[in-house]
Amino acid sequence: MSFDLTAALHSEVPLTVAGLASTMIEALRLGGGARDRQTGRRITTVPQLADSFMGSPAPEATALLHAIAVLTTDEPLARFICHELADRHDPLPEDITRLGELTASAAYVRQYADGIGEGLVLELTGPGVTRACIAAFVDYRFGSAVKFAAVVAASFEEFIALDARAPEPVNDGTSFVPIDRADAAARLRGAITQYDALTDVIQPAEQWPWHRPLIELVLRSLPAGGQGYPEHDPAFDPGAEEPLGAALVSAFLGSEFGASVPVDAASVEVVDALALLSCMRAERGVIRWTAPTVQWLLTDALPLYLPADAPRYADAPHLLRALIAYCHDLLGVAETATTMACAAVARFEGDYLRLRDDLAVAARRRDLEQVVEEATGSRRATRDGPR
C-alpha cells in the first residue's frame, strides 16, 4: 500500500483522511500489507498499522490515528489509540477530530427502469463535513448485493446533477425519492452482507470495498429496525417455490443472448435441463463457467438427464454457449474466461453427441427414471436430476 498522507491532510475535500484510513484498514482486512518506513517491518494488521504511527509526532500521524480509532471495530485498540491522542494537540480539521459524529441526515433511493437494481444515496452531515454523501448501487441479480458504494465529495443536489449528465443506463429517466434513514441503513447493511457471501464472484469496483469501514461507521450511527431487502429472494433461493433454474431460464430467454433460441417446447426442454443442471454446480446462486463444469455437464449430467429422443438434443451445445455468454455477462466475467468456456463446449461436443445412444448411459438413464418414478409417482420430475 502506498498513500500520500500529507496531501490527504491538506486536502480541502472533507473526509479525505477518513477515506484514506478506511482504505488502509480494508486493504489489510483483505490480506494486503505494507512496510513500516522506519523499521522495515511488514504491516499486516490494523494494530500494527496504528503502532507504526504511534512513534511519529507529525500531524499526519495524529490525523490518521484519529481516523483509525473511530473506524476500527477493535474496541481495545480504539481505547489505546485515544489514550495516546490525549497527549497530542495538533490543530486538525473537525472532520478528523470529530469523525465519530458523522451520520446521514437524509436518504434517497432510485429503482432503475431495467429492473436490475437500485441506487441508494445517503447525504452526510457532521462537524467540518459539507458536500458529502454515500452513493451505492445494489444489484438485484445477485440477491440484492452491493456492487458499488463509496463516499463522494458532493451534496445530494450536486450528485443528482452529475447523475443527470451520465449516459444510459445510469441515466435512464428514473428519479431518486426520499426513503426513511432506518430503511436505507437496513437495505445497505443487508446488501453488504450479501456481498460478503459473493466476494469470489463480484469484482471490486474503483472505490469499493475500500470505503467500507467509513460507510459502516455511518450505518452504525443510523436507527435500527428499518425494513431491508427480503431475506429470501426466490430468484436466488434454490429451495424457493420458483427455484433458481426456473428464474434463470426466464431471465436468459428474455435477454439478448436468448433471442436466437427458438420459442418451442423442444428448445425450452433443453434450456430447462441446462439451467437446472447448471444450478446444481452454482455456488450461492451464482454460476461461473469453467472447463471442468462444461465437461461434467456435457459428458456426465446432460446425457443422463435428457432423453435420447429429445428433438433438440443435438442443439444443446449451441444453447449452452449462449447460456454461458449470458451468465458471464451478468457477472462481468472477462471475455477470455468466456472464450475458454466456449472452447470447452467445442472440445466435449463430440463426446456429448456420441453419448446420446451409449448403452451404458441409456441404462443409467432408465435407472434414474425408475428412482424418480418411485419417489414422486411421475415419469419425469423437473426439479430432480443426477447428483
Side-chain angles (χ1 to χ4, degrees):
M1 295 182 294
S2 178
F3 304 100
D4 191 340
L5 186 53
T6 300
L9 178 59
H10 293 92
S11 172
E12 297 182 358
V13 178
L15 301 177
T16 300
V17 170
L20 182 60
S22 179
T23 300
M24 290 179 170
I25 291 171
E26 186 65 11
L28 290 173
R29 188 185 73 84
L30 295 177
R35 292 283 180 186
D36 187 321
R37 293 182 179 180
Q38 299 297 322
T39 66
R41 185 184 63 180
R42 182 164 175 77
I43 298 171
T44 59
T45 67
V46 177
Q48 290 174 349
L49 175 67
D51 184 64
S52 71
F53 286 93
M54 288 290 190
S56 171
E60 291 85 351
T62 304
L64 190 69
L65 288 171
H66 270 288
I68 293 174
V70 175
L71 296 177
T72 183
T73 55
D74 184 336
E75 293 185 4
L77 174 63
R79 289 194 296 269
F80 180 74
I81 295 174
C82 289
H83 178 76
E84 166 70 19
L85 291 174
D87 296 327
R88 298 192 181 210
H89 306 288
D90 300 284
L92 298 172
E94 284 191 318
D95 69 299
I96 297 173
T97 59
R98 299 174 64 183
L99 177 62
E101 299 174 47
L102 184 67
T103 188
S105 58
Y108 306 86
V109 63
R110 178 177 78 172
Q111 293 186 334
Y112 288 92
D114 57 14
I116 67 171
E118 69 182 32
L120 288 170
V121 175
L122 282 69
E123 191 161 25
L124 301 182
T125 184
V129 176
T130 58
R131 301 175 50 252
C133 61
I134 293 171
F137 172 68
V138 177
D139 197 323
Y140 298 155
R141 298 170 297 181
F142 290 85
S144 299
V146 65
K147 291 283 288 293
F148 169 84
V151 174
V152 297
S155 66
F156 175 67
E157 291 76 14
E158 291 169 333
F159 179 82
I160 293 301
L162 291 171
D163 199 59
R165 294 197 294 268
E168 292 186 358
V170 173
N171 178 22
D172 63 359
T174 56
S175 301
F176 281 95
V177 296
I179 183 177
D180 185 82
R181 292 184 306 146
D183 290 346
R187 290 187 184 193
L188 194 48
R189 290 188 193 105
I192 291 173
T193 298
Q194 179 67 359
Y195 166 82
D196 284 337
L198 301 173
T199 51
D200 54 340
V201 293
I202 299 180
Q203 300 300 313
E206 183 177 354
Q207 291 175 288
W208 175 258
W210 316 117
H211 282 181
R212 177 172 177 169
L214 183 54
I215 291 169
E216 291 182 329
L217 168 68
V218 174
L219 295 180
R220 290 194 294 271
S221 76
L222 296 178
Q227 181 65 48
Y229 299 107
E231 291 187 9
H232 299 288
D233 185 338
F236 294 87
D237 185 355
E241 287 301 316
E242 181 187 34
L244 175 60
L248 177 59
V249 170
S250 177
F252 167 62
L253 293 177
S255 73
E256 60 180 301
F257 299 93
S260 62
V261 178
V263 185
D264 58 64
S267 296
V268 173
E269 178 187 25
V270 177
V271 174
D272 278 341
L274 289 170
L276 176 63
L277 296 171
S278 301
C279 293
M280 291 170 60
R281 284 298 180 96
E283 296 183 6
R284 298 177 300 281
V286 176
I287 301 170
R288 182 192 291 266
W289 291 93
T290 62
T293 304
V294 170
Q295 180 180 13
W296 168 82
L297 182 64
L298 291 181
T299 65
D300 185 7
L302 192 58
L304 183 59
Y305 184 84
L306 273 182
D309 59 356
R312 296 281 188 178
Y313 183 100
D315 292 344
H318 166 71
L319 297 174
L320 178 57
R321 291 185 187 94
L323 184 62
I324 290 172
Y326 169 74
C327 292
H328 281 193
D329 180 73
L330 183 67
L331 291 171
V333 174
E335 289 187 12
T336 52
T338 303
T339 300
M340 292 176 65
C342 289
V345 175
R347 187 185 322 146
F348 297 109
E349 182 173 358
D351 293 332
Y352 164 75
L353 295 175
R354 178 182 55 78
L355 291 170
R356 180 176 190 170
D357 299 313
D358 184 89
L359 295 180
V361 170
R364 290 178 61 200
R365 190 185 294 130
R366 287 192 298 272
D367 290 342
L368 175 64
E369 289 178 346
Q370 183 177 353
V371 170
V372 171
E373 182 178 3
E374 292 174 353
T376 66
S378 66
R379 194 63 189 164
R380 199 74 187 155
T382 58
R383 292 187 65 173
D384 293 324
R387 297 292 176 181

